[in-house]
C-alpha cells in the first residue's frame, strides 16, 4: 500500500503500526463482500446467481434460524419498560418476579452500573459456578463484560507488557487472540492442535513450543485454551485439562480458558478448568496453589445465542490482588458493560427452575435448539464425507466444522496469479457462485500446505448444503 | 508498591506498565469507598453519620432522579419481546410502528450486527446530522459505538503510533482522554482552559503549547476539544470553533470533538464542529478541504441519560479511506456494539415527530428533564456563592460544576501528612462526613496551586446541598 499519495495528516503510513498488522478474517473481505451481495439482493440483485446470502462465516445464531429463549426476552422487555409489571396477566408470574429482582439490583438499566458489573448479578454468576463445579466462587473475582471479546481484550492488555511477552495460542484458533496480540504488540506463540486425533490438545506439543520460544528469548506469560474449540469443536478431556494445568503450574503461565461454548457439547462432556484445578489442588495440597486462571463465558453462544446483547463474564482464580485492582481500574475507564447484557448474564446463569411457570417452555426451547444444532452438524458432516478430497472430523462441539480440502494444482496456480492463498481463492469462488460465506482456514491458522475452511452449522435447511456440494463438484471439475 | 512479596507469575512488577500509569479518578478510591458506604447503609450502617450516599461523582442521571423517556423504553421493550406487537392497545401506534421498522433493520436484537453498526440506524444518524448542521452526512462515515468511551478508545488506538505521538487535551478534562493516552503509551499535551473567562478555549494558548511540544520533539497528531465541556460546562462560540479549526488545518492535526453534551446547554447555543467546518469550507474554497474531524455523540447524556445502554456513534469527516478501513477492522475484532444500544441511538436521533401519538409526552418529559437540570444547577451554584473561599463559574452546560476551593494551610499540612493532595483530602472528608461523593480537581487537571472539585447537579432535592454547605463551614472552622 503506497502512502505517498495521501494528503491527509493521518494516513496508512503513520497510524498505529500494530493496528495495520492485526488480522481478523471473520469480518474481513469475504464477510464484507457478502454484505454487499445482501444489499444487492435487497434491491433487485438480478445479476447474482443466487437468491440468498448464507452467512456461515460467523457464529451468529439469531441472524439465522435461532429464536431467542422466551423467558429471557420477557424479563428483558420488563426491564426496559417496568410499567409492564402493572399489566396483570401479560407475563407469567416468575417472569415478573425475576424482573422485580433484577430491577432492584440494577435500579434502572439506563444507569451505569459498578464498573465490574452489578453485584447482585455477580452473585448469581458465583452461585452458577459453584453449582457447576462443586467449588465456591467469589463475586469479587467476577467481572461482567461486553461479550467475551471485551474480557479477552482486558486480560491481554493487562498481561502484555512488552513486545517479547509471549502468549501461547492454539492453532487453529479464533482470531480474536492473534488480532488482540497484534494490537498489544506482544508475541503469539502458536501450538498446533492435532487434527488426526479429533483436534486434541497435547501438553507435550505445547511443552516443545515453550522450549523453542524460550530459546528465542520470548518471555512466556500465558497459555490460551479454547474449550470447546473454535473452529475445531473439540472438547478437552479431564486428563487433558490436568496435563495443561500441570504444565502451566510448572512453567508459571497464566491460563486463559475460553469456555464460551461450554454448553455446545454434542459428544463427551464439558469440564471447566476451574473445577479441574480445584480437584488438583485438593488432591495435591500445595502443588497447584499459585496457578492463575481466568475463565471466560458469554451470552453469545450455547442455547442462549444472544450475540447482539454483548454480555459475558470472566472469573479470576488465584490472581494477585494488586493485579486484580489494576484490572478493575482498566475496566472502569470504560465505565461499565451494557446493563441489559449484564441482566442477560444473570438470566443465563439462573434460568427458570423446575416447577416454575416458565420452566417447561424454557426446557422445550433449550432442547430444541440443542437438538437442531446437533442434527444440522450431522447433515453438514455427512455432506462433507460425500465431497471429493474433503476430510472432516466428527462434529463434537461449538458451532463449527473445519474440514480439510484438497485444492487441485491448477486452482493453486490460479490463486497465486490473483495474489491469494488457495483456501481464500476457494472460499471467494464459493461466495461468488452460491452466496455462501465461509472463512478460509488461513484466517484461523493451519499447518503449512494444508487447506481448510470454517463453516458454522447454524443456517437452517439443507438447500444451502446442496448448493455447497454442487459448487465443490464444479470447482473440482474445473481445476482437476 | 513492593512487588517482591508476590508469588504470582503475574504481579504488579511485570504487568503492562502503561496500565499502571493510567489514572481514572471518576471511578477511583472515592467512588469505591462510596460504594462500600452504600453497602453498609443497605445492611444497617448505624456507624455512619449520614443515611444516604449521594453519587455526585459521575454523570449518571438514572442512578439518581431522572426517569427514562417513555417512548424510547416502550420501543425497546418491544424489540426485546416482539410478541408484544400482537397486543392491541398496549402501546401507541407510533411506538409499534417504530419497533417494526427497527426490527426489520436489525433482525433480532440478539444477533451481531455489522461491525460498524446497523446500516438503517446509521442512515438515521446521517439524517439527524444533516438536519442539525444543514450539510449532508454519509452513513458509511458513521460508526455506532458502545458509548462514546469506546469510540474515543478506537480513535486514539488508531492515531497513537509511538510514544512521541502527541495529543492536545484541554485541562481540566474528562480523564478518559489521559487514561487512554496512558494505555496507548502516547503523549498528552495539555492546554489550559481559562477559568476567568468562563473556562473558554483559547486558540492562542493552544498554539503556544504546540510550539513547546514541538520543541520537545513531540509528534503532534491530534487536538481534543470537549464541547460543551466536562468538567467545566463551557460551550464554545462559533468563532471559538473557527479559530480551533483554522489552527488544526494549519498544524495538520486531527480534531476529536467530544460533543456528548450537545443538548446540555443552558446558556448560549451549541455549534457542531462539523457545521462550522463545512461553513468554513464553503466560505474559503480549498483552504480547509483536508481537515480531519471525528465527532462523538452518546445516548448517555442530554435528556436521554441512558448510560447503562452503552450507545453512541462517531462520524469521520475528511478521513483517508485507507485509514477508515483500518478503523473498520479494529472495531470488527470486537464484533459489534450492543444492538439495543444501537437502537437507542436510532431513537435519540429520530424522536417522535410533532403530531404523532407519542409527541406530546415526549416533549413534556424532555422539557421537564431540561428544566430540572437547569434549576438544580442554579441551586447548587447559589450555594457555592454562599460558601467561604469558594468561587464558581456560571452553570453553562453539561451536568457539572467545577468550583475553586480555598484550602486553609492547616488542612494542606494535614493532607500532606496523609500523603494526599489537598483537594483529595477535602473530598474524602466530605464523603466521610456526609456521604456526598465528588471528585477532586486533580482528577481532571488544574493549574498548580489551585484546588477544585467536580460535582454533578443531578442529585434531586436540596437537602444534600445543605449537607455540603454545613460540612464546608465545619471544615473551614476546623482548619482556618
Ligand atoms: C472462542 C470464542 N471466544 C470468544 C468469542 C467472542 O464472543 P462474544 O464477544 O460475542 O462473547 C467467540 C465468538 O465467536 C468465540 O468463538
Ligand atoms: C466528555 C465525555 N465524553 C465521553 C463520555 C463517555 O460517555 P459514554 O461512554 O457513556 O458515552 C463522558 C461520560 O461522562 C463524558 O463526560
Amino acid at each position: 500500500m503506497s502512502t505517498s499519495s495521501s494528503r491527509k495528516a493521518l494516513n496508512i503510513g503513520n497510524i498505529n503500526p500494530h493496528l495495520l498488522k492485526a488480522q481478523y478474517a471473520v469480518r474481513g473481505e469475504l464477510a464484507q463482500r457478502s454484505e454487499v451481495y445482501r444489499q444487492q439482493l435487497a434491491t433487485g440483485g438480478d445479476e447474482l446467481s443466487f437468491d440468498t446470502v448464507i452467512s456461515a462465516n460467523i457464529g451468529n445464531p439469531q441472524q439465522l434460524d435461532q429464536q431467542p429463549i422466551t423467558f429471557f426476552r420477557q424479563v428483558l422487555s420488563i426491564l426496559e419498560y417496568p410499567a409492564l409489571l402493572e399489566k396483570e396477566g401479560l407475563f407469567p408470574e416468575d417472569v415478573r418476579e425475576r424482573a422485580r429482582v433484577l430491577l432492584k439490583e440494577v435500579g434502572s438499566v439506563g444507569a451505569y452500573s459498578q464498573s465490574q458489573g452489578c453485584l447482585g448479578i455477580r452473585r448469581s454468576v458465583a452461585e452458577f459456578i459453584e453449582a457447576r463445579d462443586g467449588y465456591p466462587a467469589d463475586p469479587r473475582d467476577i467481572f461482567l463484560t461486553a461479550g467475551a471479546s471485551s474480557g479477552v481484550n482486558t486480560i491481554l492488555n493487562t498481561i502484555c507488557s512488552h513486545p517479547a511477552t509471549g502468549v501461547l495460542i492454539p492453532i487453529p484458533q479464533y482470531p480474536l487472540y492473534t488480532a488482540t496480540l497484534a494490537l498489544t504488540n506482544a508475541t503469539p506463540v502458536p501450538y498446533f492442535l492435532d487434527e488426526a486425533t479429533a483436534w486434541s490438545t497435547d501438553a507435550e506439543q505445547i511443552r516443545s513450543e515453550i522450549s523453542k520460544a524460550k530459546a528465542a528469548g520470548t518471555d512466556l506469560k500465558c497459555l490460551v485454551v479454547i474449550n470447546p474449540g473454535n473452529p475445531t469443536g473439540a472438547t478437552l478431556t479431564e486428563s487433558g485439562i490436568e496435563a495443561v494445568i500441570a504444565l502451566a503450574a510448572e512453567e508459571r503461565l497464566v491460563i486463559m480458558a475460553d469456555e464460551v461454548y461450554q454448553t455446545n457439547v454434542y459428544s463427551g462432556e464439558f469440564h471447566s478448568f476451574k473445577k479441574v484445578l480445584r480437584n488438583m489442588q485438593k488432591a495435591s495440597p500445595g502443588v497447584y496453589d499459585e496457578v492463575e486462571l481466568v475463565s471466560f463465558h458469554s451470552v453469545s453462544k450455547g442455547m442462549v445465542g444472544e450475540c447482539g446483547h454483548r454480555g459475558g463474564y470472566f472469573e479470576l482464580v488465584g490472581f494477585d490482588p494488586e493485579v486484580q485492582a489494576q484490572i478493575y481500574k482498566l475496566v472502569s475507564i470504560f465505565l461499565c458493560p451494557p446493563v441489559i447484557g449484564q441482566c442477560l448474564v444473570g438470566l443465563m446463569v439462573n434460568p427458570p427452575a423446575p416447577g416454575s411457570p416458565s420452566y417447561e417452555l424454557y426446557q422445550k426451547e433449550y432442547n430444541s435448539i440443542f437438538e437442531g444444532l446437533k442434527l444440522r452438524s450431522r447433515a453438514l458432516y455427512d455432506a462433507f464425507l460425500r465431497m471429493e478430497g474433503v476430510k472432516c472430523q466428527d462434529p463434537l462441539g461449538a458451532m463449527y466444522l473445519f474440514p480439510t480440502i484438497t485444492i487441485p494444482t491448477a486452482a493453486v496456480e490460479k490463486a497465486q496469479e490473483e495474489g491469494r492463498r488457495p483456501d481464500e481463492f476457494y472460499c471467494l469462488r464459493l461466495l461468488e457462485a452460491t452466496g455462501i460465506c465461509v472463512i478460509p482456514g488461513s484466517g484461523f491458522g493451519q499447518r503449512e500446505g494444508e487447506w481448510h475452511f470454517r463453516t458454522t452449522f447454524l443456517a437452517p435447511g439443507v438447500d444451502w448444503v446442496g448448493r455447497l456440494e454442487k459448487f465443490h463438484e464444479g470447482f473440482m471439475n474445473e481445476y482437476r
Side-chain angles (χ1 to χ4, degrees), chain A residues 303-445:
Chain A
M303 273 35 79
V304 183
E306 294 278 7
C307 306
H309 275 104
R310 315 305 298 123
Y313 74 80
F314 60 81
E315 183 190 16
L316 299 178
V317 182
F319 268 59
D320 187 310
E322 285 184 324
V323 172
Q324 202 153 326
Q326 293 294 319
I327 293 173
Y328 173 87
K329 182 177 71 183
L330 177 52
V331 301
S332 80
I333 296 171
F334 305 102
L335 299 168
C336 72
V339 176
I340 276 283
Q342 295 185 35
C343 294
L344 197 44
V345 172
L347 293 165
M348 171 178 79
V349 299
N350 186 15
S356 64
S358 298
Y359 179 71
E360 216 171 301
L361 179 61
Y362 170 77
Q363 274 307 105
K364 203 176 122 216
E365 291 174 337
Y366 189 97
N367 293 339
S368 119
I369 294 169
F370 185 82
E371 292 307 325
L373 287 170
K374 214 165 146 177
L375 265 175
R376 273 179 284 178
S377 71
R378 275 280 142 197
L380 193 57
Y381 172 72
D382 290 344
F384 287 143
L385 293 191
R386 289 191 296 269
M387 284 158 64
E388 177 186 353
V390 172
K391 268 183 288 187
C392 189
Q393 292 298 311
D394 254 23
L396 297 173
M399 303 178 166
Y400 314 100
L401 290 180
F402 194 62
T404 313
I405 45 178
T406 316
I407 298 190
T409 314
V412 173
E413 282 162 6
K414 189 87 175 89
Q416 262 153 6
E417 273 170 41
E418 294 185 11
R420 295 191 180 276
R421 297 201 186 86
D423 53 351
E424 213 178 75
F425 176 80
Y426 177 93
C427 294
L428 201 56
R429 287 285 175 281
L430 173 66
L431 175 62
E432 287 165 353
T434 65
I436 300 171
C437 185
V438 300
I439 307 291
S442 46
F444 306 90

Side-chain angles (χ1 to χ4, degrees), chain A residues 70-96:
Chain A
T70 303
F71 177 79
F72 296 167
R73 293 301 199 86
Q74 287 179 330
V75 174
L76 295 185
S77 75
I78 298 178
L79 299 182
E80 287 294 0
Y81 191 53
L84 292 178
L85 276 175
E86 287 147 34
K87 308 269 170 208
E88 292 294 332
L90 189 62
F91 292 121
E93 196 41 49
D94 56 344
V95 166
R96 294 151 57 101

Side-chain angles (χ1 to χ4, degrees), chain A residues 115-118 122 142-155 260 294-299 309-315 327 331 336-343 345:
Chain A
S115 309
Q116 209 174 325
C118 167
R122 287 188 281 125
I142 289 157
F143 286 68
L144 303 185
T145 61
S149 305
S150 128
V152 167
N153 189 46
T154 297
I155 297 299
V260 303
V294 43
S295 96
F296 300 88
H297 198 6
S298 168
V299 301
H309 275 104
R310 315 305 298 123
Y313 74 80
F314 60 81
E315 183 190 16
I327 293 173
V331 301
C336 72
V339 176
I340 276 283
Q342 295 185 35
C343 294
V345 172

